[in-house]
Amino acid sequence: MSTAGPLTAHRPARVAVVIPAKNEAERIEATIDAARAITGVDMVVVVDDGSTDATAAVAMGTGALVVRHASNRGKAAAMATGAQMVAMREDTERAEGEPTADGGEPDRTEERVPGHTGPLPVIEPEGHEPRALLFLDADMGASATGAQPLVDAVLGEGVDMAIALLPPQDGAAGMGIVVRTARRGIARATGWEATQPLSGTRCITRETWEACQPLAAGWGVETSLTIDALTAGFWVKEVPCELHHRATGKDLAGQLHRAAQLRDVLRALARRRHLSPVVEDVEAEGGAEGADAPEDPATTDAPAPAETPAAPVRDGAEETARAERRRVALETLPVSGTFSDAQTRALGDRDVEHLDALLRDLPVDGPFAPDDVVFLAGVDLEILAVRMHDAPVNGPFTPEQAVIIASHLERDEVEIPSSVATPLTADEYTSLVIHAAVEEENG
């Protein structure tokens, strides 16, 4: 677990469960029933993220609070919507007050104070600390009761973010490269090494949740939550839980799912790169134990190094004009959307014109997301262009596929099996890249 930092100031006494769901009509009822059985839970919110089956109807039949996205917006968006619904319900509870002991209407007034003409309205009743949020996968079914240790850690131990350590899952064919990428990125950013960095079953205090906004998109949300919570000084702890969900297989659909995970994790790490201390590989740099250390000028006769000239000081107007020129330059890139301040900082002083030319040389149809550009700016785009142009593919790649291929540039070019007819589709080639990485990681 992480070192305990400044704990959440107002400890929660209750928990709201948030269940993002897509096409889980067969399992959602059992998951909701199990969630209600967790001690400390008094609210269940289901976010139907663009399902095409009866997920929303089944969830509403259980009495859960249900909100629906008209189209699939991804896990991070569903989590954010669920948290927003919990906050809205709590606002209503505070406005309405608590019911009386016999179930009657709540008393919304305070006792009369001498000198006043009447009772005073209650603005903020006591005992309404925001609930902690427990995020559960919709396909956990009856095993969701196994999340009880997470709730106990947050309500009882003072943990700010409790992350579930799951036992081995039947039928799972995980891609270790995604886990290792997330683990190394979290360690590089915070110094804390997670055992299961992609575990999405978490109980989080609201203060911690708010400190972690905005969330990284899609499947990068777990990585960003961990980094942001640790960076803000909250106590993050991994807790063993007996939880089970449907495993992702090794077929094409499973490989593409993991490819999307890898893409989103890389995006999340790229966005938070400016938070990270630079952690060099000391062995690779000749800094292993026993290597010669640099001499201290104060204890040797060597001349002191020359002073580094001070950087020129810009006034506020000049700095503002420089930032505006930078923003305008970034808008020329083949990007859909605008760069946030954090994304702009992550790009540093990269030559935008040169970056623009390299991005446009890639055989890609469609604009990149700002997060994609931040990641791609850190790879060798010239090598990426050669690899993509040389690929036996009929038609262009998507921006997401370019990010996936870029994440594997350190590996040899993928070998096309003799049994596979060429040219390939971009999807087929990308899946072969992922498959080759899986086989390499498996030895």
Side-chain angles (χ1 to χ4, degrees), residues 69-329:
H69 291 166
S71 59
N72 181 252
R73 294 170 54 189
K75 183 176 183 180
M79 292 171 67
T81 296
Q84 183 180 12
M85 292 305 298
V86 173
M88 291 172 63
R89 179 56 60 94
E90 288 176 340
D91 286 343
T92 301
E93 291 175 348
R94 283 191 288 271
E96 293 179 348
E98 296 289 347
T100 60
D102 60 0
E105 285 293 315
D107 183 2
R108 301 182 179 86
T109 64
E110 293 181 352
E111 295 182 3
R112 181 171 177 170
V113 178
H116 288 266
T117 58
L120 302 175
V122 174
I123 304 301
E124 190 70 32
E126 296 182 359
H128 280 274
E129 290 82 7
R131 292 171 173 84
L133 301 173
L134 173 60
F135 294 97
L136 295 176
D137 291 340
D139 61 357
M140 286 182 166
S143 80
T145 55
Q148 182 72 60
L150 301 179
V151 173
D152 295 341
V154 171
L155 300 190
E157 297 180 35
V159 175
D160 297 306
M161 180 187 295
I163 305 173
L165 284 177
L166 276 62
Q169 304 291 296
D170 293 337
M175 193 174 82
I177 187 174
V178 185
V179 174
R180 277 186 286 276
T181 298
R183 182 182 296 129
R184 285 194 294 263
I186 292 169
R188 188 175 288 264
T190 68
W192 184 66
E193 184 164 319
T195 302
Q196 294 184 8
L198 300 181
S199 176
T201 305
R202 303 176 178 220
C203 191
I204 310 172
T205 67
R206 292 283 278 290
E207 188 174 334
T208 309
W209 171 260
E210 295 299 333
C212 294
Q213 304 303 308
L215 301 174
W219 302 106
V221 64
E222 291 88 5
T223 301
S224 75
L225 278 173
T226 302
I227 291 176
D228 290 344
L230 289 168
T231 302
F234 291 101
W235 184 11
V236 178
K237 181 179 181 180
E238 292 184 309
V239 180
C241 295
E242 196 63 32
L243 294 163
H244 300 274
H245 59 83
R246 185 173 51 247
T248 303
K250 292 188 67 174
D251 57 6
L252 176 59
Q255 290 184 24
L256 292 178
H257 169 75
R258 294 186 192 93
Q261 279 187 305
L262 178 59
R263 174 201 66 204
D264 290 345
V265 166
L266 290 167
R267 286 176 171 177
L269 292 174
R271 285 187 63 182
R272 281 148 179 82
R273 192 173 294 148
H274 68 283
L275 297 174
S276 312
V278 178
V279 181
E280 300 292 351
D281 185 341
V282 293
E283 293 185 0
E285 295 297 324
E289 184 177 353
D292 293 336
E295 294 182 337
D296 185 349
T299 60
T300 68
D301 295 329
E307 293 186 1
T308 303
V313 178
R314 298 186 177 93
D315 60 27
E318 181 182 353
E319 191 64 34
T320 300
R322 181 173 180 270
E324 178 62 17
R325 290 194 298 272
R326 180 76 170 165
R327 185 188 65 79
V328 172

Side-chain angles (χ1 to χ4, degrees), residues 11 103 123 151 272 356 382 387 443:
R11 299 308 307 179
I123 304 301
V151 173
R272 281 148 179 82
D356 179 68
E382 293 179 346
R387 186 161 297 186

Side-chain angles (χ1 to χ4, degrees), residues 4 22 36-37 48 57 121 147-148 182 185 281 305 307 334 393 418 428 441:
K22 181 185 178 185
R36 285 202 175 102
D48 181 357
Q148 182 72 60
D281 185 341
E307 293 186 1
V393 170
S418 58
E428 291 170 336
E441 293 293 337

